[in-house]
Amino acid sequence: QLQLVESGGGLVQAGDSLRLSCAASGRTFSIYTMGWFRQAPGKEREFVATINWSGGTTYYEDSVKGRFTISRDNAKNTVYLQMNSLKPEDTAGYYCAARLPSGKMYYTRGSDYAYWGQGTQVTVSS
């Protein structure tokens, strides 16, 4: 089993920045494709960003392109989500997820991922 623990959420104002972290344990982190998803109250979970095992390939949901950056440090078993220029519509629970790669360049569906963290709340006030 791969365990994932998110941290770094909080309450910020519109325009502020936050960096979320997701620490992994239990398996060889460096072989996993990692993703960030979010879910706002009353809404479906949505894809935010994904990164391949080496960090060389990333992919973002359109509304966060240019504002969010996903990265990873395999030596620290951690994946990050740097969020800049936050907007009230970014308010959600943010979840990291992991899967073993199987040939696709990136994975954007929640059902693509086998392991999930408990989430960290991000609230952006206007």
Side-chain angles (χ1 to χ4, degrees):
Q1 285 278 37
L2 183 71
Q3 289 82 41
L4 303 173
V5 179
E6 302 95 335
S7 61
L11 172 63
V12 296
Q13 294 186 332
D16 286 351
S17 298
L18 275 177
R19 189 176 79 158
L20 306 183
S21 299
C22 173
S25 62
R27 290 285 180 92
T28 304
F29 172 75
S30 61
I31 65 175
Y32 285 85
T33 292
M34 302 299 295
W36 283 98
F37 290 77
R38 64 187 180 186
Q39 187 167 21
K43 295 187 176 181
E44 292 188 354
R45 180 177 58 195
E46 67 172 354
F47 166 77
V48 176
T50 185
I51 188 166
N52 76 331
W53 68 274
S54 68
T57 298
T58 59
Y59 185 76
Y60 299 90
E61 192 268 331
D62 284 346
S63 70
V64 307
K65 284 180 181 176
R67 299 190 299 124
F68 291 10
T69 302
I70 188 171
S71 62
R72 66 190 296 161
D73 185 337
N74 287 340
K76 295 183 178 180
N77 291 348
T78 302
V79 63
Y80 304 98
L81 186 68
Q82 177 67 44
M83 304 186 297
N84 299 330
S85 302
L86 282 161
K87 304 176 181 180
E89 50 264 44
D90 295 318
T91 294
Y94 281 73
Y95 300 85
C96 72
R99 65 157 293 140
L100 291 172
S102 62
K104 291 176 62 177
M105 185 168 291
Y106 46 77
Y107 304 87
T108 62
R109 300 178 304 175
S111 58
D112 288 332
Y113 292 80
Y115 302 101
W116 292 84
Q118 294 298 308
T120 186
Q121 179 66 33
V122 172
T123 303
V124 185
S125 64
S126 57

